[in-house]
Amino acid sequence: MRFINQVIELLTSGKYMGMIFSGLRLTVLISLGAIALGLFLGTVVALVTISKKNCFTAVPKAICKVYITIIRGTPMALQLYIMYFVIFAIRGFPQILTAIIAFGINSGAYVAENIRAGILSVDIGQTEAGRALGLSSVTTMVNIIIPQAIKNVIPAIGNELIALIKETSIVSMIGMYDLTQAAKIIGSGQNMASYIVPMSVTAVFYLAIVYLLTFIIKMIERRLRASDKR
């Protein structure tokens, strides 16, 4: 009963909810920026890694493979620290931009592997059919292979984007005021029972964001399945 009363008190407090929504705004901005960067970077890296090896693509392919290996093999928190305290340790450089770049680069490595796997999962006969019709390699890839690959990788990419949103909770480690940090501040200096309240409310907000993204992903999947039936 005490827990419920404290939840009601928090939800009806303009001060506390103002802090929560302020943190929510930053969390959403970082997530959207990182998602856009991650999808773009992941697509480019995936296309480079599956391209035919020649004197022009050898170096880009090697760079992409090293990028994927390093990013997937090191903790997100460490990458964020390096971005903030080393690479972008410039006076006045926006913290939010640093966070977007750090999370976007991290997400891009996983998205790249998902897209690469999706493209490779398309039957080679599809490529051969496109070339037999006189289409160029680029046209075959863009008009035949990629549309089919997208349908295969949407669930995997959706899972990566959901993980990305939840990972943004560590930005408080570099002093940013996100949703999790707002809950910490509200609960600080109070007893353990009171501290649980803001954390529980914050968890509900994260759940709502993830549910909304999941709904959008499933809606896209249904539309793509519907187009297959026509």
Side-chain angles (χ1 to χ4, degrees), residues 94-220:
Q95 281 185 313
I96 186 171
L97 189 55
T98 300
I100 288 174
I101 293 173
F103 286 103
I105 290 176
N106 179 270
S107 180
Y110 293 93
V111 170
E113 284 297 276
N114 289 332
I115 294 178
R116 184 185 67 83
I119 292 175
L120 295 179
S121 69
V122 178
D123 192 276
I124 189 64
Q126 299 291 319
T127 302
E128 295 172 350
R131 299 307 303 275
L133 291 172
L135 301 178
S136 65
S137 299
V138 175
T139 303
T140 301
M141 177 63 69
V142 173
N143 295 333
I144 298 178
I145 305 302
I146 290 181
Q148 296 181 64
I150 289 175
K151 297 177 183 178
N152 297 335
V153 303
I154 283 179
I157 290 179
N159 290 336
E160 164 55 27
L161 298 184
I162 289 172
L164 168 63
I165 292 173
K166 292 184 291 185
E167 282 181 345
T168 61
S169 62
I170 67 172
V171 296
S172 59
M173 296 169 60
I174 59 173
M176 297 189 71
Y177 191 88
D178 72 321
L179 193 54
T180 300
Q181 181 69 357
K184 290 179 182 178
I185 293 175
I186 293 173
S188 63
Q190 302 180 30
N191 57 49
M192 187 58 67
S194 297
Y195 194 79
I196 292 175
V197 173
M199 287 298 179
S200 299
V201 173
T202 298
V204 172
F205 275 94
Y206 276 112
L207 182 61
I209 296 172
V210 170
Y211 179 82
L212 176 60
L213 180 58
T214 302
F215 174 79
I216 294 173
I217 292 170
K218 288 184 177 180
M219 184 174 65
I220 294 174

Side-chain angles (χ1 to χ4, degrees), residues 6-7 12 22 39 47 58-59 65 81 87 89 96 110 114-115 130 154-155 157 162 166 182 185 222-224:
Q6 290 178 336
V7 170
T12 56
S22 179
L39 290 175
L47 293 177
V59 173
K65 289 181 180 179
Y81 275 140
I87 298 177
I96 186 171
Y110 293 93
N114 289 332
I115 294 178
I154 283 179
I157 290 179
I162 289 172
K166 292 184 291 185
I185 293 175
R222 285 196 297 268
R223 285 182 178 272
L224 291 176

